[in-house]
Structure formats: C-alpha cells, structure tokens
Amino acid sequence: MSDSVLPPAHPLAAGVTSDAPLIRAAWGKPTSRVPVWFMRQAGRSLPEYRELRSGGAMLDACFDADLVTEITLQPVRRHKVDAAILFSDIVVPLRAAGVAVTIEPGVGPVMADPVRDVKGIATIGELGDTSAIEAAVGQLARELGGTPLIGFCGAPFTLASYLIEGGPSREHAVTKALMWGQPRLWSMLMERIADLAGRFLRRQVLAGASAVQVFDSWAGALSRPDYERFVRPFTERVFEHIADLAVPRIHFGVVTGELLTAMALPQCDVVGVDFRVTLADGIARIGPAHSVQGNVDPAAVLAGWEVVRDRTAIAIRQGAAARGHILNLGHGVLPQTDPGVLTELVGWIHDHGPGLRSEGMSNSIDAGGRVDS
Ligand code: 1CP
C-alpha cells in the first residue's frame, strides 16, 4: 500500500466513523452519549481470549491477521464499547525491525540484547513486513463499520526503556543514566525509535484505523524539565509521521500528573489522565484546547458495583468541564477483573452519561470548574 494517501474505501475517506461519539468527543464536538472504551479491554480478563491464546507466543499472535481480528472484536461484542483497540503490543514494530524481542508470560517484553551503544542501535533496522497487521486492520475496519478502530504505538521513551533496560523496569535507572550521561547516543536512539513507531502508526491509519493512541506509559518516571528536554521532541516526531492524516490523536501516560501540561501537545487532540489525579485537576492542567480521556481506577472495578458506578459518575461529572471527554480507566483492565462488571458499566454509562454530564456542566459553572463529587 502507498505510504501517502488514503484509499477511497478508507473509513475516514468514506466518513463511516466521523459521527461516532468517540471521534466527535476527541475533536471537542457535542455528543449524544459519553463514549467509553477500556485500555486492555482485549486480554486476560476475557475467558474467550484465554481460550484462543492458550499455547502460542504473544508476539506470534500479533502477526496472525485472523487471530488479531478475532481478539480485537471480542470486547466490542461483549461490552458494546464505543471503540475497538487493535490487539497488538508496543514492541511489535521492534520485532518488525529485526530486534530480538519476546513477550514472556507474566513478565512483559524481554530483549535478548539490551541496546546501550551505537552497535546496539544499529541492530534496529527499518520497519519490515507488517502486512498481516495491515490486513487485520482492514478486515476490522470493514467489520466494525461505524465503530472506530484505535491504532496505537509506544512513545519513544517507553520503548527506549524496554530496549535499554532489557525488560520491564521499576526505576528506569539505566535508561536515565544513558539519557543524561550520553545525550548524543540518547538522541540517536530516540530518533530511530520515533521514526519506527511513527511509520507503524501511519501504516495502521492508512490500513483503516480511525483514531490513534500513543502510549508513553513510563514517562511519569521523569521530572517535567527532563521530559521536555529529553523526551517531548521525539514524541512530537512520532505525531509528525501522521500530521497529514485526519485522525484524532490520544496521548497517554501513567503517573503523569506533573507532566499533563507538557503532554498536551499541539499535535494531539486528547490527553489521557491516570487515576492519581482528579479529572478536574487534570482538565485544569491540560487546558481548553484538548479533550481528555480517563480516569476511573482499574482497581475500583474489583470493589463491587456501587463503588465503580459512583467513581464513574464522578469522572463523568468532572469530565463535563473539558471540551470533550472519553470515559476510560486510568490504566489497563486488571487481569482478575470480572468482565460482567465492565459490560454493566458500559450500559450504565450509555444510559446515564448524558444526565451526569449535564449535572457536571451546571456544577462546574457554579463551582468555577472544581467539581469533587
Ligand atoms: O500473553 C498475554 O496475554 C500477555 C499480556 C499482554 C497483552 C494482552 C501483553 C504483554 N500485551 C498485551 C496486549 C496489549 N499491549 C494491548 C492490547 C490492546 C488492548 O488494550 O486491549 C495494548 C494496547 C498494549 C500496549 C502495551 N504493551 C503497553 C502500553 C499500555 C500500558 O499498559 O501501559 C505496554 C507498557 C506494553 C508492554 C507490555 N506488554 C505486555 C505486558 C505485560 C507489558 C507490560 C510490562 C511491564 O510492566 O513493563
């Protein structure tokens, strides 16, 4: 497929998803309902996922078009969420660029050779064959019709952390040491990964994704000055790869309370807020030029129906102060989640979201934007 223009049958070219609540909320347009989807909505919380995935390796599954299609559709069928997210992983483009990476059960991405010097960077090749993924995206866009498919990639910092540390890390200490101690090497690596992630994102949109999310899950490990100097320019570079494509862009990270203002990039439309910050405070930090996504604590889903319902109501009332609000959890669905609660929550949000949003709008006028309950 050409890397430049949308094919005529593309859901965006055809306008199939342009009126979807998620797309409208992302652009800051009024919506008839509060759109909702869940990060990690496909995955271990679903018995039908566990059954399909038993056996094969995670990264092999990500390159199997029919498996990707089926797993992506499972939560949409079950929960009636307002968007699908492609079943994939942030390390998929690294695998497609020749990096020796696996996803170990119960651990996450693991590199055979951590990247810590120029020789290591040279092992990251060009983005190779992703045709199975593009086939899955095309198939999904056709099956989903008016429901948007969210394509995604990892942001350079989060990907760099896996590459440099060699696997999941709590402190990101080797990553920070390289970032501060060898800034030229850092820039070289970050540019390489930004282009890889950006090209992968572009392929997903050209194949039929109608929104994108860039996951900088571990950016919260940084101070704001470090984020602005060492990370943000490279995340902007990812977004530049899709600058000419009219899809809403969501930018998300965890523990990013101190970074939200800096993450509200002019190149993105929606900023994800995790559960450690109230949505009201998040909106104040992000400002009126972006929509917001979030931010119910994933653990609230385990606490019983009343708890998760009440916390969702607070998020919707507070979200009314933003130019647009997409309801989501503050981070991914926990594996031990009862999927029945998520299904019930989606129905409840669809029934009660508009009323709660109206309450939130009048409260925010009365309280100058601060709504705590
Ligand atoms: O075998 C399995 O089931 C492995 C579990 C699993 C799954 C289902 C992993 C390993 N990745 C995924 C899919 C996945 N990864 C999706 C699917 C779509 C959906 O949301 O429904 C997405 C969006 C991701 C993105 C991803 N992978 C992120 C960003 C999102 C986040 O949670 O912050 C990150 C950080 C990863 C790395 C990763 N992959 C897998 C795990 C367990 C991890 C995290 C490891 C760590 O703690 O560092």
Side-chain angles (χ1 to χ4, degrees):
M1 186 184 289
S2 147
D3 266 11
S4 55
V5 285
L6 297 179
H10 190 284
L12 293 177
V16 181
T17 57
S18 58
D19 276 334
L22 178 125
I23 303 289
R24 291 182 60 88
W27 294 134
K29 294 181 186 164
T31 56
S32 55
R33 57 158 74 164
V34 175
V36 51
W37 69 282
F38 303 112
M39 289 182 276
R40 298 280 173 103
Q41 61 190 16
R44 284 168 298 164
S45 69
L46 299 185
E48 59 270 36
Y49 169 83
R50 292 198 296 268
E51 195 180 314
L52 263 187
R53 276 289 332 285
S54 63
M58 170 71 189
L59 273 178
D60 294 341
C62 293
F63 284 87
D64 178 331
D66 290 335
L67 208 50
V68 168
T69 303
E70 174 55 24
I71 294 174
T72 303
L73 291 173
Q74 283 176 345
V76 182
R77 277 190 213 115
R78 189 191 255 267
H79 302 312
K80 311 274 184 281
V81 275
D82 292 289
I85 179 157
L86 184 70
F87 176 74
S88 188
D89 194 82
I90 57 169
V91 298
V92 162
L94 299 179
R95 162 72 68 95
V99 175
V101 53
T102 52
I103 293 183
E104 304 294 336
V107 179
V110 175
M111 307 294 150
D113 304 299
V115 171
R116 294 176 183 174
D117 52 23
V118 175
K119 249 179 81 189
I121 295 176
T123 63
I124 309 170
E126 292 297 318
L127 184 63
D129 182 17
T130 54
S131 55
I133 296 160
E134 288 153 74
V137 170
Q139 228 161 266
L140 281 162
R142 281 190 294 280
E143 294 238 0
L144 286 161
T147 302
L149 173 68
I150 302 172
F152 73 91
C153 69
F157 177 77
T158 293
L159 287 171
S161 171
Y162 285 110
L163 282 166
I164 295 168
E165 307 283 342
S169 162
R170 196 186 280 262
E171 308 294 344
H172 309 277
V174 190
T175 309
K176 290 184 189 180
L178 194 150
M179 180 178 90
W180 290 321
Q182 301 181 73
R184 290 186 54 156
L185 188 69
W186 174 256
S187 296
M188 200 192 286
L189 175 63
M190 291 289 275
E191 276 178 17
R192 178 68 66 100
I193 320 172
D195 287 341
L196 203 56
R199 288 189 181 117
F200 183 54
L201 204 56
R202 184 174 185 84
R203 285 189 191 174
Q204 294 174 63
V205 176
L206 291 177
S210 46
V212 296
Q213 177 154 326
V214 174
F215 284 94
D216 209 351
S217 299
W218 312 140
L222 299 171
S223 69
R224 180 167 165 176
D226 282 331
Y227 176 78
E228 289 178 348
R229 177 167 169 206
F230 293 104
V231 172
R232 187 168 64 181
F234 303 100
T235 302
E236 291 182 311
R237 192 173 167 123
V238 173
F239 285 113
E240 277 158 24
H241 281 270
I242 54 162
D244 59 325
L245 301 176
V247 287
R249 298 133 222 265
I250 308 167
H251 188 196
F252 169 80
V254 185
V255 203
T256 50
E258 294 296 324
L259 303 181
L260 287 172
T261 308
M263 288 178 72
L265 300 170
Q267 297 91 335
C268 75
D269 307 286
V270 184
V271 181
V273 180
D274 94 351
F275 51 86
R276 294 164 184 86
V277 178
T278 65
L279 213 44
D281 285 344
I283 291 164
R285 292 172 198 183
I286 289 161
H290 292 78
S291 299
V292 296
Q293 176 173 277
N295 76 338
V296 178
D297 192 323
V301 188
L302 313 181
W305 169 247
E306 281 79 15
V307 172
V308 68
R309 180 200 62 197
D310 292 351
R311 283 171 176 257
T312 302
I314 292 170
I316 295 173
R317 287 197 201 96
Q318 295 192 2
R323 68 161 211 185
H325 175 216
I326 299 164
L327 197 288
N328 205 315
L329 304 178
H331 200 184
V333 173
L334 297 168
Q336 65 269 44
T337 295
D338 171 357
V341 178
L342 293 180
T343 309
E344 195 174 349
L345 193 60
V346 173
W348 188 82
I349 291 165
H350 287 161
D351 290 344
H352 297 275
L356 291 163
R357 191 169 50 187
S358 305
E359 279 174 43
M361 277 174 187
S362 39
N363 286 353
S364 65
I365 292 162
D366 296 345
R370 287 204 62 95
V371 189
D372 291 325
S373 58

